[in-house]
Amino acid sequence: MHKLLVVDASGRVTRSITRRLTRRFAEVWRAHEPGGTVVHRDVGLDPPPPVDEPWIAAAFADPAARSEEGRAALRPSEVLIDELDAADAIVIGAPMYNFGMPAQLKAYFDQVIRVGRTFDF
């Protein structure tokens, strides 16, 4: 069974073009993958926490030596990364605000782009 991850980043709910596009994409995907699963992550309405000092300290610490505070700081990141790992396809609805992506989407990327977890140098 295939899994589609839909990430919506618009702060708009009823008048969002990007939400309409991701919804349409998911409908067409479901028609081609009738046994598939769609997971929806709405960072526009429920943004991930921003990266802060405890997060950075934990992300760069040896995983075996992380404190409970460090594991707690990374918990949202782990959930988001696990969603990405489980997905066979990903669609991101990203509106443009002030010539760039919404801050909520940037916070999402900050949570899922982690040295030693999702990339290495």
Side-chain angles (χ1 to χ4, degrees):
M1 178 180 346
H2 290 107
K3 188 177 286 188
L4 171 67
L5 174 61
V6 177
V7 179
D8 276 317
S10 179
R12 289 182 170 181
V13 177
T14 58
R15 299 180 302 134
S16 171
I17 294 169
T18 56
R19 285 179 187 276
R20 276 193 306 226
L21 290 171
T22 57
R23 190 170 38 251
R24 179 70 181 131
F25 184 95
E27 289 168 359
V28 171
W29 185 87
R30 273 193 185 140
H32 289 27
E33 295 286 342
T37 304
V38 176
V39 175
H40 186 247
R41 171 64 61 178
D42 195 328
V43 300
L45 298 180
D46 186 19
V51 167
D52 56 12
E53 189 163 348
W55 188 99
I56 295 167
F60 284 91
D62 177 359
R66 281 189 191 125
S67 66
E68 179 52 41
E69 178 188 32
R71 286 190 296 276
L74 292 178
R75 203 162 287 126
S77 175
E78 291 293 339
V79 168
L80 297 174
I81 291 170
D82 288 346
E83 281 181 351
L84 282 171
D85 282 345
D88 297 295
I90 303 162
V91 62
I92 299 174
M96 184 181 287
Y97 298 151
N98 299 321
F99 305 107
M101 75 174 82
Q104 299 94 318
L105 185 57
K106 174 65 167 81
Y108 176 82
F109 288 133
D110 287 343
Q111 288 288 343
V112 300
I113 300 171
R114 256 181 50 207
V115 67
R117 179 71 165 87
T118 56
F119 79 95
D120 284 314
F121 291 106

